[in-house]
Amino acid sequence: MTETAVGYTRVSQDSDTSISDQKREIRDLADEQGFNLLRIYDDGERSSGFNNNRPEYLEMQTALEDGEPSVLIVRDRDRLSRDKRERSMLFYDLDEWVVELWTTSEGEPVDFDDDEAWLIEMIRGYMDDVQKRREIQQARKKVRERIENGYDHGRPPTGLEFDEDGQYWIPNNEFAVVLQALRLREEGHSYSYIADETGIPRGTLANIFDREDLYVQKAEEFGSVGFSSP
């Protein structure tokens, strides 16, 4: 009888393995093992492994508990969770639901059959947890240092990118479209009209309008014309 499987993907940072790569690896492993892959649950980019309030992750757990899939495939254990407590609880649940956990990085199921195997998994979970918390602390320290030195930090807003030194935001090739959206807003047009004219999603437009002062500053700084603050 063919076993049924589901996959799960997420990425949390730009340098992480891409969603498309993870999905390809999951499909390849399912084909190699002869699993009937029902679905790949995907929480997308920048979903935290310390947060179990992930819609696709929770939906996946419900499906596994209901009993249809008998196999769960992920690239590695840390895709499920970087939090040692959450990962431990999920492993106990998988064991109770009689679900095999396969990783594409190892190409084999995770061993839950004896006490030594469980101990190794708990140690791995603890090490992943500690490493990630260290990375978070270092990232926060770098942000504080950038703020203290007067540099821009975080992901650049729409229409801006970091300069060659990675210190300040400068206009990119989307900047003119952002200014067009601001001009149309200044003229009193609706969000829907501006979205249709510029191709910028409504949610992104809200963020742009909230940062109008920043865009005005950059327009003046870099000599963009045709836009003035109301």
Side-chain angles (χ1 to χ4, degrees), residues 1-8 26-41 60 63-64 67-74 98-102:
M1 181 178 175
T2 302
E3 291 190 272
T4 57
V6 295
Y8 177 74
I26 288 171
R27 293 189 183 102
D28 288 348
L29 190 147
D31 288 343
E32 291 167 5
Q33 299 300 322
F35 298 144
N36 176 22
L37 184 62
L38 301 176
R39 173 178 173 180
I40 297 178
Y41 294 89
M60 175 199 72
L64 293 171
E68 184 176 3
S70 57
V71 174
L72 170 60
I73 308 173
V74 293
V98 197
V99 173
E100 286 188 348
L101 173 63
W102 285 67

PDB file of all heavy atoms in Angstrom, residues 1-8 26-41 60 63-64 67-74 98-102:
ATOM      1  N   MET A   1       0.840  -1.203   0.000  1.00  0.00           N
ATOM      2  CA  MET A   1       0.000   0.000   0.000  1.00  0.00           C
ATOM      3  C   MET A   1       0.874   1.251   0.000  1.00  0.00           C
ATOM      4  O   MET A   1       1.823   1.360   0.778  1.00  0.00           O
ATOM      5  CB  MET A   1      -0.916   0.003   1.230  1.00  0.00           C
ATOM      6  CG  MET A   1      -1.846   1.200   1.291  1.00  0.00           C
ATOM      7  SD  MET A   1      -2.948   1.111   2.733  1.00  0.00           S
ATOM      8  CE  MET A   1      -3.773   2.681   2.577  1.00  0.00           C
ATOM      9  N   THR A   2       0.568   2.190  -0.881  1.00  0.00           N
ATOM     10  CA  THR A   2       1.344   3.426  -0.975  1.00  0.00           C
ATOM     11  C   THR A   2       1.086   4.324   0.226  1.00  0.00           C
ATOM     12  O   THR A   2      -0.059   4.583   0.587  1.00  0.00           O
ATOM     13  CB  THR A   2       0.986   4.195  -2.260  1.00  0.00           C
ATOM     14  OG1 THR A   2       1.241   3.366  -3.385  1.00  0.00           O
ATOM     15  CG2 THR A   2       1.810   5.457  -2.374  1.00  0.00           C
ATOM     16  N   GLU A   3       2.178   4.788   0.855  1.00  0.00           N
ATOM     17  CA  GLU A   3       2.028   5.709   1.988  1.00  0.00           C
ATOM     18  C   GLU A   3       1.761   7.120   1.476  1.00  0.00           C
ATOM     19  O   GLU A   3       2.316   7.553   0.463  1.00  0.00           O
ATOM     20  CB  GLU A   3       3.287   5.687   2.855  1.00  0.00           C
ATOM     21  CG  GLU A   3       3.508   4.398   3.610  1.00  0.00           C
ATOM     22  CD  GLU A   3       4.623   4.543   4.619  1.00  0.00           C
ATOM     23  OE1 GLU A   3       5.783   4.313   4.229  1.00  0.00           O
ATOM     24  OE2 GLU A   3       4.340   4.893   5.781  1.00  0.00           O
ATOM     25  N   THR A   4       0.919   7.836   2.197  1.00  0.00           N
ATOM     26  CA  THR A   4       0.628   9.223   1.851  1.00  0.00           C
ATOM     27  C   THR A   4       1.523  10.149   2.654  1.00  0.00           C
ATOM     28  O   THR A   4       1.862   9.862   3.807  1.00  0.00           O
ATOM     29  CB  THR A   4      -0.842   9.568   2.118  1.00  0.00           C
ATOM     30  OG1 THR A   4      -1.147   9.295   3.496  1.00  0.00           O
ATOM     31  CG2 THR A   4      -1.754   8.745   1.237  1.00  0.00           C
ATOM     32  N   ALA A   5       1.884  11.261   2.055  1.00  0.00           N
ATOM     33  CA  ALA A   5       2.829  12.178   2.698  1.00  0.00           C
ATOM     34  C   ALA A   5       2.397  13.623   2.493  1.00  0.00           C
ATOM     35  O   ALA A   5       1.669  13.951   1.554  1.00  0.00           O
ATOM     36  CB  ALA A   5       4.229  11.972   2.138  1.00  0.00           C
ATOM     37  N   VAL A   6       2.865  14.486   3.400  1.00  0.00           N
ATOM     38  CA  VAL A   6       2.764  15.927   3.227  1.00  0.00           C
ATOM     39  C   VAL A   6       4.140  16.515   3.495  1.00  0.00           C
ATOM     40  O   VAL A   6       4.979  15.893   4.163  1.00  0.00           O
ATOM     41  CB  VAL A   6       1.725  16.577   4.178  1.00  0.00           C
ATOM     42  CG1 VAL A   6       0.329  16.099   3.847  1.00  0.00           C
ATOM     43  CG2 VAL A   6       2.065  16.289   5.644  1.00  0.00           C
ATOM     44  N   GLY A   7       4.382  17.689   2.959  1.00  0.00           N
ATOM     45  CA  GLY A   7       5.632  18.389   3.212  1.00  0.00           C
ATOM     46  C   GLY A   7       5.372  19.691   3.933  1.00  0.00           C
ATOM     47  O   GLY A   7       4.236  20.166   4.016  1.00  0.00           O
ATOM     48  N   TYR A   8       6.446  20.290   4.454  1.00  0.00           N
ATOM     49  CA  TYR A   8       6.325  21.597   5.102  1.00  0.00           C
ATOM     50  C   TYR A   8       7.566  22.419   4.779  1.00  0.00           C
ATOM     51  O   TYR A   8       8.701  21.923   4.835  1.00  0.00           O
ATOM     52  CB  TYR A   8       6.182  21.468   6.616  1.00  0.00           C
ATOM     53  CG  TYR A   8       6.120  22.820   7.302  1.00  0.00           C
ATOM     54  CD1 TYR A   8       4.968  23.606   7.222  1.00  0.00           C
ATOM     55  CD2 TYR A   8       7.221  23.331   7.980  1.00  0.00           C
ATOM     56  CE1 TYR A   8       4.915  24.858   7.805  1.00  0.00           C
ATOM     57  CE2 TYR A   8       7.172  24.589   8.573  1.00  0.00           C
ATOM     58  CZ  TYR A   8       6.020  25.347   8.487  1.00  0.00           C
ATOM     59  OH  TYR A   8       5.967  26.595   9.065  1.00  0.00           O
ATOM     60  N   ILE A  26      11.552  18.108  -1.480  1.00  0.00           N
ATOM     61  CA  ILE A  26      10.465  17.312  -0.906  1.00  0.00           C
ATOM     62  C   ILE A  26       9.820  16.442  -1.979  1.00  0.00           C
ATOM     63  O   ILE A  26       9.569  15.247  -1.770  1.00  0.00           O
ATOM     64  CB  ILE A  26       9.424  18.234  -0.239  1.00  0.00           C
ATOM     65  CG1 ILE A  26       9.997  18.831   1.051  1.00  0.00           C
ATOM     66  CG2 ILE A  26       8.129  17.473   0.062  1.00  0.00           C
ATOM     67  CD1 ILE A  26       9.142  19.924   1.669  1.00  0.00           C
ATOM     68  N   ARG A  27       9.550  17.023  -3.146  1.00  0.00           N
ATOM     69  CA  ARG A  27       8.938  16.255  -4.231  1.00  0.00           C
ATOM     70  C   ARG A  27       9.868  15.137  -4.705  1.00  0.00           C
ATOM     71  O   ARG A  27       9.421  14.010  -4.993  1.00  0.00           O
ATOM     72  CB  ARG A  27       8.579  17.188  -5.389  1.00  0.00           C
ATOM     73  CG  ARG A  27       7.475  18.190  -5.063  1.00  0.00           C
ATOM     74  CD  ARG A  27       7.017  18.924  -6.319  1.00  0.00           C
ATOM     75  NE  ARG A  27       6.016  19.930  -5.990  1.00  0.00           N
ATOM     76  CZ  ARG A  27       6.262  21.234  -5.904  1.00  0.00           C
ATOM     77  NH1 ARG A  27       7.493  21.702  -6.132  1.00  0.00           N
ATOM     78  NH2 ARG A  27       5.313  22.084  -5.591  1.00  0.00           N
ATOM     79  N   ASP A  28      11.170  15.448  -4.799  1.00  0.00           N
ATOM     80  CA  ASP A  28      12.134  14.439  -5.242  1.00  0.00           C
ATOM     81  C   ASP A  28      12.182  13.263  -4.274  1.00  0.00           C
ATOM     82  O   ASP A  28      12.205  12.095  -4.693  1.00  0.00           O
ATOM     83  CB  ASP A  28      13.536  15.056  -5.377  1.00  0.00           C
ATOM     84  CG  ASP A  28      13.662  15.978  -6.575  1.00  0.00           C
ATOM     85  OD1 ASP A  28      12.750  15.963  -7.434  1.00  0.00           O
ATOM     86  OD2 ASP A  28      14.662  16.721  -6.647  1.00  0.00           O
ATOM     87  N   LEU A  29      12.217  13.559  -2.968  1.00  0.00           N
ATOM     88  CA  LEU A  29      12.269  12.479  -1.989  1.00  0.00           C
ATOM     89  C   LEU A  29      10.999  11.642  -2.025  1.00  0.00           C
ATOM     90  O   LEU A  29      11.052  10.404  -1.939  1.00  0.00           O
ATOM     91  CB  LEU A  29      12.503  13.044  -0.583  1.00  0.00           C
ATOM     92  CG  LEU A  29      12.810  12.008   0.504  1.00  0.00           C
ATOM     93  CD1 LEU A  29      13.772  12.577   1.544  1.00  0.00           C
ATOM     94  CD2 LEU A  29      11.549  11.524   1.216  1.00  0.00           C
ATOM     95  N   ALA A  30       9.841  12.304  -2.151  1.00  0.00           N
ATOM     96  CA  ALA A  30       8.576  11.571  -2.226  1.00  0.00           C
ATOM     97  C   ALA A  30       8.569  10.643  -3.435  1.00  0.00           C
ATOM     98  O   ALA A  30       8.128   9.481  -3.340  1.00  0.00           O
ATOM     99  CB  ALA A  30       7.406  12.544  -2.287  1.00  0.00           C
ATOM    100  N   ASP A  31       9.072  11.117  -4.578  1.00  0.00           N
ATOM    101  CA  ASP A  31       9.132  10.279  -5.774  1.00  0.00           C
ATOM    102  C   ASP A  31      10.067   9.095  -5.565  1.00  0.00           C
ATOM    103  O   ASP A  31       9.751   7.956  -5.940  1.00  0.00           O
ATOM    104  CB  ASP A  31       9.609  11.107  -6.977  1.00  0.00           C
ATOM    105  CG  ASP A  31       8.552  12.083  -7.471  1.00  0.00           C
ATOM    106  OD1 ASP A  31       7.371  11.906  -7.117  1.00  0.00           O
ATOM    107  OD2 ASP A  31       8.921  13.030  -8.196  1.00  0.00           O
ATOM    108  N   GLU A  32      11.231   9.365  -4.968  1.00  0.00           N
ATOM    109  CA  GLU A  32      12.216   8.297  -4.754  1.00  0.00           C
ATOM    110  C   GLU A  32      11.677   7.198  -3.845  1.00  0.00           C
ATOM    111  O   GLU A  32      11.945   6.011  -4.054  1.00  0.00           O
ATOM    112  CB  GLU A  32      13.495   8.887  -4.142  1.00  0.00           C
ATOM    113  CG  GLU A  32      14.289   9.779  -5.085  1.00  0.00           C
ATOM    114  CD  GLU A  32      15.352  10.573  -4.356  1.00  0.00           C
ATOM    115  OE1 GLU A  32      15.527  10.350  -3.124  1.00  0.00           O
ATOM    116  OE2 GLU A  32      16.011  11.422  -4.990  1.00  0.00           O
ATOM    117  N   GLN A  33      10.910   7.588  -2.825  1.00  0.00           N
ATOM    118  CA  GLN A  33      10.411   6.628  -1.851  1.00  0.00           C
ATOM    119  C   GLN A  33       9.037   6.064  -2.220  1.00  0.00           C
ATOM    120  O   GLN A  33       8.521   5.189  -1.523  1.00  0.00           O
ATOM    121  CB  GLN A  33      10.342   7.282  -0.460  1.00  0.00           C
ATOM    122  CG  GLN A  33      11.679   7.752   0.079  1.00  0.00           C
ATOM    123  CD  GLN A  33      12.688   6.621   0.217  1.00  0.00           C
ATOM    124  OE1 GLN A  33      12.332   5.506   0.600  1.00  0.00           O
ATOM    125  NE2 GLN A  33      13.951   6.912  -0.085  1.00  0.00           N
ATOM    126  N   GLY A  34       8.445   6.573  -3.285  1.00  0.00           N
ATOM    127  CA  GLY A  34       7.147   6.083  -3.707  1.00  0.00           C
ATOM    128  C   GLY A  34       5.991   6.568  -2.852  1.00  0.00           C
ATOM    129  O   GLY A  34       4.931   5.927  -2.802  1.00  0.00           O
ATOM    130  N   PHE A  35       6.170   7.721  -2.197  1.00  0.00           N
ATOM    131  CA  PHE A  35       5.097   8.294  -1.380  1.00  0.00           C
ATOM    132  C   PHE A  35       4.101   9.033  -2.276  1.00  0.00           C
ATOM    133  O   PHE A  35       4.489   9.638  -3.287  1.00  0.00           O
ATOM    134  CB  PHE A  35       5.644   9.280  -0.347  1.00  0.00           C
ATOM    135  CG  PHE A  35       6.588   8.676   0.653  1.00  0.00           C
ATOM    136  CD1 PHE A  35       7.680   9.408   1.132  1.00  0.00           C
ATOM    137  CD2 PHE A  35       6.412   7.395   1.139  1.00  0.00           C
ATOM    138  CE1 PHE A  35       8.556   8.865   2.052  1.00  0.00           C
ATOM    139  CE2 PHE A  35       7.278   6.842   2.063  1.00  0.00           C
ATOM    140  CZ  PHE A  35       8.359   7.579   2.510  1.00  0.00           C
ATOM    141  N   ASN A  36       2.837   9.016  -1.886  1.00  0.00           N
ATOM    142  CA  ASN A  36       1.821   9.828  -2.545  1.00  0.00           C
ATOM    143  C   ASN A  36       1.776  11.180  -1.836  1.00  0.00           C
ATOM    144  O   ASN A  36       1.198  11.299  -0.752  1.00  0.00           O
ATOM    145  CB  ASN A  36       0.462   9.125  -2.469  1.00  0.00           C
ATOM    146  CG  ASN A  36      -0.648   9.975  -3.070  1.00  0.00           C
ATOM    147  OD1 ASN A  36      -0.410  10.860  -3.883  1.00  0.00           O
ATOM    148  ND2 ASN A  36      -1.879   9.717  -2.647  1.00  0.00           N
ATOM    149  N   LEU A  37       2.423  12.193  -2.430  1.00  0.00           N
ATOM    150  CA  LEU A  37       2.531  13.509  -1.803  1.00  0.00           C
ATOM    151  C   LEU A  37       1.227  14.275  -2.001  1.00  0.00           C
ATOM    152  O   LEU A  37       0.891  14.682  -3.119  1.00  0.00           O
ATOM    153  CB  LEU A  37       3.699  14.289  -2.410  1.00  0.00           C
ATOM    154  CG  LEU A  37       4.008  15.652  -1.790  1.00  0.00           C
ATOM    155  CD1 LEU A  37       4.411  15.507  -0.317  1.00  0.00           C
ATOM    156  CD2 LEU A  37       5.127  16.349  -2.572  1.00  0.00           C
ATOM    157  N   LEU A  38       0.493  14.461  -0.912  1.00  0.00           N
ATOM    158  CA  LEU A  38      -0.816  15.112  -0.982  1.00  0.00           C
ATOM    159  C   LEU A  38      -0.710  16.619  -1.094  1.00  0.00           C
ATOM    160  O   LEU A  38      -1.478  17.255  -1.818  1.00  0.00           O
ATOM    161  CB  LEU A  38      -1.640  14.755   0.271  1.00  0.00           C
ATOM    162  CG  LEU A  38      -1.907  13.273   0.526  1.00  0.00           C
ATOM    163  CD1 LEU A  38      -2.648  13.096   1.841  1.00  0.00           C
ATOM    164  CD2 LEU A  38      -2.705  12.680  -0.628  1.00  0.00           C
ATOM    165  N   ARG A  39       0.238  17.190  -0.363  1.00  0.00           N
ATOM    166  CA  ARG A  39       0.307  18.652  -0.285  1.00  0.00           C
ATOM    167  C   ARG A  39       1.612  19.062   0.378  1.00  0.00           C
ATOM    168  O   ARG A  39       2.173  18.332   1.182  1.00  0.00           O
ATOM    169  CB  ARG A  39      -0.888  19.188   0.511  1.00  0.00           C
ATOM    170  CG  ARG A  39      -0.852  20.678   0.799  1.00  0.00           C
ATOM    171  CD  ARG A  39      -2.086  21.139   1.531  1.00  0.00           C
ATOM    172  NE  ARG A  39      -1.972  22.530   1.943  1.00  0.00           N
ATOM    173  CZ  ARG A  39      -2.907  23.201   2.601  1.00  0.00           C
ATOM    174  NH1 ARG A  39      -4.044  22.594   2.928  1.00  0.00           N
ATOM    175  NH2 ARG A  39      -2.734  24.469   2.951  1.00  0.00           N
ATOM    176  N   ILE A  40       2.079  20.262   0.024  1.00  0.00           N
ATOM    177  CA  ILE A  40       3.201  20.882   0.738  1.00  0.00           C
ATOM    178  C   ILE A  40       2.669  22.120   1.446  1.00  0.00           C
ATOM    179  O   ILE A  40       2.226  23.069   0.793  1.00  0.00           O
ATOM    180  CB  ILE A  40       4.349  21.253  -0.212  1.00  0.00           C
ATOM    181  CG1 ILE A  40       4.933  20.004  -0.883  1.00  0.00           C
ATOM    182  CG2 ILE A  40       5.455  21.997   0.554  1.00  0.00           C
ATOM    183  CD1 ILE A  40       6.039  20.295  -1.883  1.00  0.00           C
ATOM    184  N   TYR A  41       2.673  22.099   2.753  1.00  0.00           N
ATOM    185  CA  TYR A  41       2.253  23.256   3.541  1.00  0.00           C
ATOM    186  C   TYR A  41       3.398  24.264   3.554  1.00  0.00           C
ATOM    187  O   TYR A  41       4.550  23.907   3.807  1.00  0.00           O
ATOM    188  CB  TYR A  41       1.894  22.836   4.968  1.00  0.00           C
ATOM    189  CG  TYR A  41       0.676  21.953   5.046  1.00  0.00           C
ATOM    190  CD1 TYR A  41       0.788  20.565   4.963  1.00  0.00           C
ATOM    191  CD2 TYR A  41      -0.596  22.505   5.199  1.00  0.00           C
ATOM    192  CE1 TYR A  41      -0.329  19.747   5.023  1.00  0.00           C
ATOM    193  CE2 TYR A  41      -1.725  21.691   5.257  1.00  0.00           C
ATOM    194  CZ  TYR A  41      -1.583  20.315   5.177  1.00  0.00           C
ATOM    195  OH  TYR A  41      -2.689  19.519   5.235  1.00  0.00           O
ATOM    196  N   MET A  60      -1.201  21.872   9.076  1.00  0.00           N
ATOM    197  CA  MET A  60      -0.486  20.617   8.868  1.00  0.00           C
ATOM    198  C   MET A  60      -0.639  19.696  10.072  1.00  0.00           C
ATOM    199  O   MET A  60      -0.889  18.494   9.932  1.00  0.00           O
ATOM    200  CB  MET A  60       0.994  20.903   8.618  1.00  0.00           C
ATOM    201  CG  MET A  60       1.872  19.666   8.503  1.00  0.00           C
ATOM    202  SD  MET A  60       3.617  20.073   8.754  1.00  0.00           S
ATOM    203  CE  MET A  60       3.638  20.390  10.542  1.00  0.00           C
ATOM    204  N   ALA A  63      -4.018  18.033  10.052  1.00  0.00           N
ATOM    205  CA  ALA A  63      -4.095  16.963   9.055  1.00  0.00           C
ATOM    206  C   ALA A  63      -3.389  15.707   9.531  1.00  0.00           C
ATOM    207  O   ALA A  63      -3.885  14.581   9.351  1.00  0.00           O
ATOM    208  CB  ALA A  63      -3.502  17.448   7.732  1.00  0.00           C
ATOM    209  N   LEU A  64      -2.228  15.874  10.158  1.00  0.00           N
ATOM    210  CA  LEU A  64      -1.470  14.723  10.656  1.00  0.00           C
ATOM    211  C   LEU A  64      -2.208  14.037  11.795  1.00  0.00           C
ATOM    212  O   LEU A  64      -2.246  12.803  11.887  1.00  0.00           O
ATOM    213  CB  LEU A  64      -0.079  15.168  11.112  1.00  0.00           C
ATOM    214  CG  LEU A  64       0.856  15.670  10.010  1.00  0.00           C
ATOM    215  CD1 LEU A  64       2.114  16.276  10.617  1.00  0.00           C
ATOM    216  CD2 LEU A  64       1.230  14.541   9.048  1.00  0.00           C
ATOM    217  N   GLY A  67      -4.992  11.815  10.686  1.00  0.00           N
ATOM    218  CA  GLY A  67      -4.567  10.470  10.319  1.00  0.00           C
ATOM    219  C   GLY A  67      -4.432  10.129   8.859  1.00  0.00           C
ATOM    220  O   GLY A  67      -4.050   9.011   8.528  1.00  0.00           O
ATOM    221  N   GLU A  68      -4.727  11.057   7.940  1.00  0.00           N
ATOM    222  CA  GLU A  68      -4.606  10.670   6.534  1.00  0.00           C
ATOM    223  C   GLU A  68      -3.146  10.533   6.107  1.00  0.00           C
ATOM    224  O   GLU A  68      -2.758   9.484   5.605  1.00  0.00           O
ATOM    225  CB  GLU A  68      -5.339  11.661   5.625  1.00  0.00           C
ATOM    226  CG  GLU A  68      -5.310  11.229   4.162  1.00  0.00           C
ATOM    227  CD  GLU A  68      -6.111  12.163   3.271  1.00  0.00           C
ATOM    228  OE1 GLU A  68      -6.631  13.169   3.764  1.00  0.00           O
ATOM    229  OE2 GLU A  68      -6.200  11.862   2.075  1.00  0.00           O
ATOM    230  N   PRO A  69      -2.291  11.563   6.293  1.00  0.00           N
ATOM    231  CA  PRO A  69      -0.879  11.384   5.928  1.00  0.00           C
ATOM    232  C   PRO A  69      -0.168  10.526   6.977  1.00  0.00           C
ATOM    233  O   PRO A  69      -0.404  10.662   8.177  1.00  0.00           O
ATOM    234  CB  PRO A  69      -0.319  12.810   5.920  1.00  0.00           C
ATOM    235  CG  PRO A  69      -1.511  13.724   6.005  1.00  0.00           C
ATOM    236  CD  PRO A  69      -2.558  12.950   6.720  1.00  0.00           C
ATOM    237  N   SER A  70       0.715   9.666   6.509  1.00  0.00           N
ATOM    238  CA  SER A  70       1.510   8.844   7.421  1.00  0.00           C
ATOM    239  C   SER A  70       2.976   9.240   7.405  1.00  0.00           C
ATOM    240  O   SER A  70       3.790   8.681   8.135  1.00  0.00           O
ATOM    241  CB  SER A  70       1.383   7.364   7.053  1.00  0.00           C
ATOM    242  OG  SER A  70       1.769   7.146   5.705  1.00  0.00           O
ATOM    243  N   VAL A  71       3.314  10.245   6.552  1.00  0.00           N
ATOM    244  CA  VAL A  71       4.699  10.698   6.417  1.00  0.00           C
ATOM    245  C   VAL A  71       4.718  12.218   6.343  1.00  0.00           C
ATOM    246  O   VAL A  71       3.888  12.820   5.660  1.00  0.00           O
ATOM    247  CB  VAL A  71       5.365  10.107   5.155  1.00  0.00           C
ATOM    248  CG1 VAL A  71       6.756  10.694   4.954  1.00  0.00           C
ATOM    249  CG2 VAL A  71       5.431   8.590   5.232  1.00  0.00           C
ATOM    250  N   LEU A  72       5.669  12.822   7.046  1.00  0.00           N
ATOM    251  CA  LEU A  72       5.912  14.266   6.970  1.00  0.00           C
ATOM    252  C   LEU A  72       7.330  14.466   6.458  1.00  0.00           C
ATOM    253  O   LEU A  72       8.278  13.887   7.002  1.00  0.00           O
ATOM    254  CB  LEU A  72       5.753  14.915   8.347  1.00  0.00           C
ATOM    255  CG  LEU A  72       6.205  16.374   8.479  1.00  0.00           C
ATOM    256  CD1 LEU A  72       5.427  17.281   7.542  1.00  0.00           C
ATOM    257  CD2 LEU A  72       6.055  16.842   9.929  1.00  0.00           C
ATOM    258  N   ILE A  73       7.473  15.291   5.414  1.00  0.00           N
ATOM    259  CA  ILE A  73       8.792  15.531   4.815  1.00  0.00           C
ATOM    260  C   ILE A  73       9.164  17.005   4.960  1.00  0.00           C
ATOM    261  O   ILE A  73       8.383  17.889   4.599  1.00  0.00           O
ATOM    262  CB  ILE A  73       8.811  15.162   3.317  1.00  0.00           C
ATOM    263  CG1 ILE A  73       8.275  13.746   3.096  1.00  0.00           C
ATOM    264  CG2 ILE A  73      10.234  15.272   2.761  1.00  0.00           C
ATOM    265  CD1 ILE A  73       8.116  13.391   1.622  1.00  0.00           C
ATOM    266  N   VAL A  74      10.370  17.258   5.472  1.00  0.00           N
ATOM    267  CA  VAL A  74      10.907  18.614   5.579  1.00  0.00           C
ATOM    268  C   VAL A  74      12.372  18.589   5.156  1.00  0.00           C
ATOM    269  O   VAL A  74      12.974  17.520   5.068  1.00  0.00           O
ATOM    270  CB  VAL A  74      10.801  19.160   7.021  1.00  0.00           C
ATOM    271  CG1 VAL A  74       9.353  19.358   7.429  1.00  0.00           C
ATOM    272  CG2 VAL A  74      11.514  18.243   8.009  1.00  0.00           C
ATOM    273  N   VAL A  98       1.691   8.103  14.893  1.00  0.00           N
ATOM    274  CA  VAL A  98       2.338   7.113  14.006  1.00  0.00           C
ATOM    275  C   VAL A  98       2.645   7.739  12.642  1.00  0.00           C
ATOM    276  O   VAL A  98       2.274   7.222  11.582  1.00  0.00           O
ATOM    277  CB  VAL A  98       1.473   5.840  13.841  1.00  0.00           C
ATOM    278  CG1 VAL A  98       2.328   4.701  13.278  1.00  0.00           C
ATOM    279  CG2 VAL A  98       0.853   5.404  15.162  1.00  0.00           C
ATOM    280  N   VAL A  99       3.310   8.889  12.696  1.00  0.00           N
ATOM    281  CA  VAL A  99       3.724   9.605  11.486  1.00  0.00           C
ATOM    282  C   VAL A  99       5.247   9.579  11.405  1.00  0.00           C
ATOM    283  O   VAL A  99       5.926   9.945  12.360  1.00  0.00           O
ATOM    284  CB  VAL A  99       3.230  11.069  11.507  1.00  0.00           C
ATOM    285  CG1 VAL A  99       3.804  11.842  10.322  1.00  0.00           C
ATOM    286  CG2 VAL A  99       1.709  11.112  11.474  1.00  0.00           C
ATOM    287  N   GLU A 100       5.774   9.129  10.279  1.00  0.00           N
ATOM    288  CA  GLU A 100       7.215   9.139  10.065  1.00  0.00           C
ATOM    289  C   GLU A 100       7.665  10.537   9.644  1.00  0.00           C
ATOM    290  O   GLU A 100       7.018  11.186   8.812  1.00  0.00           O
ATOM    291  CB  GLU A 100       7.613   8.151   8.962  1.00  0.00           C
ATOM    292  CG  GLU A 100       7.559   6.704   9.369  1.00  0.00           C
ATOM    293  CD  GLU A 100       8.155   5.804   8.290  1.00  0.00           C
ATOM    294  OE1 GLU A 100       8.388   6.292   7.150  1.00  0.00           O
ATOM    295  OE2 GLU A 100       8.384   4.619   8.580  1.00  0.00           O
ATOM    296  N   LEU A 101       8.762  10.997  10.218  1.00  0.00           N
ATOM    297  CA  LEU A 101       9.360  12.275   9.833  1.00  0.00           C
ATOM    298  C   LEU A 101      10.592  11.997   8.978  1.00  0.00           C
ATOM    299  O   LEU A 101      11.531  11.346   9.436  1.00  0.00           O
ATOM    300  CB  LEU A 101       9.746  13.085  11.069  1.00  0.00           C
ATOM    301  CG  LEU A 101      10.531  14.376  10.810  1.00  0.00           C
ATOM    302  CD1 LEU A 101       9.701  15.358   9.992  1.00  0.00           C
ATOM    303  CD2 LEU A 101      10.972  15.014  12.124  1.00  0.00           C
ATOM    304  N   TRP A 102      10.560  12.470   7.732  1.00  0.00           N
ATOM    305  CA  TRP A 102      11.692  12.325   6.817  1.00  0.00           C
ATOM    306  C   TRP A 102      12.316  13.696   6.564  1.00  0.00           C
ATOM    307  O   TRP A 102      11.604  14.689   6.466  1.00  0.00           O
ATOM    308  CB  TRP A 102      11.236  11.737   5.483  1.00  0.00           C
ATOM    309  CG  TRP A 102      10.940  10.267   5.514  1.00  0.00           C
ATOM    310  CD1 TRP A 102       9.918   9.652   6.180  1.00  0.00           C
ATOM    311  CD2 TRP A 102      11.663   9.241   4.844  1.00  0.00           C
ATOM    312  NE1 TRP A 102       9.950   8.299   5.965  1.00  0.00           N
ATOM    313  CE2 TRP A 102      11.021   8.014   5.136  1.00  0.00           C
ATOM    314  CE3 TRP A 102      12.783   9.227   4.000  1.00  0.00           C
ATOM    315  CZ2 TRP A 102      11.466   6.797   4.632  1.00  0.00           C
ATOM    316  CZ3 TRP A 102      13.229   8.015   3.498  1.00  0.00           C
ATOM    317  CH2 TRP A 102      12.581   6.825   3.814  1.00  0.00           C
TER     318      TRP A 102
END
